[in-house]
Amino acid sequence: MRLLVLLFVFFFSLTFYGQSFKVDSFFAKANQNGILKGLILDEDNNNEPLVFAEIIVKNSESKTETAMDGTFKISLKPGIYNLEVRFIGYKTIEINNVKVTPNNTTNIKQSLPVLKVASSISIASLQ
């Protein structure tokens, strides 16, 4: 009987006098980032996707590359960002004032033009 009373008092005190800890409030602030998704295309080749184009978030350490379908996805803290999109042989493009909001997805689509190289080499100069 003593054991039964002791267990009752123990569980009663745990239930009503224990520290209330809300797990959902602990994790609520952990997922406040926004998602930046995009598609990078080849402007001079029928808007084909550019594979492994580099997307750099200026003034931060965040960067990513595009997948096989030209898409990318990066998680960022809420704010306004400037992006740099580059790919070898293509003009580097800067996208300014991209707004990332908490728990939302921001989508961008960008085409990169091929670098135009002036060719001044003639056949006569090669001989």
Side-chain angles (χ1 to χ4, degrees), residues 23-95:
V23 175
D24 60 339
S25 66
F26 179 71
F27 291 107
K29 293 185 180 179
N31 194 15
Q32 297 257 336
N33 284 354
I35 302 293
L36 178 62
K37 289 173 68 174
L39 176 62
I40 307 300
L41 302 169
D42 183 342
E43 185 176 288
D44 297 325
N45 191 18
N46 297 324
N47 284 328
E48 290 291 322
L50 283 177
V51 180
F52 303 122
E54 188 174 29
I55 296 86
I56 300 167
V57 181
K58 305 274 270 188
N59 300 322
S60 79
E61 295 182 12
S62 298
K63 64 181 178 178
T64 189
E65 291 181 344
T66 57
M68 297 300 283
D69 59 354
T71 61
F72 69 91
K73 181 178 175 182
I74 188 168
S75 176
L76 296 169
K77 292 181 181 178
I80 297 176
Y81 295 95
N82 296 327
L83 306 176
E84 187 176 281
V85 183
R86 57 183 166 184
F87 190 73
I88 295 174
Y90 289 77
K91 182 178 179 186
T92 298
I93 301 289
E94 197 164 309
I95 306 170

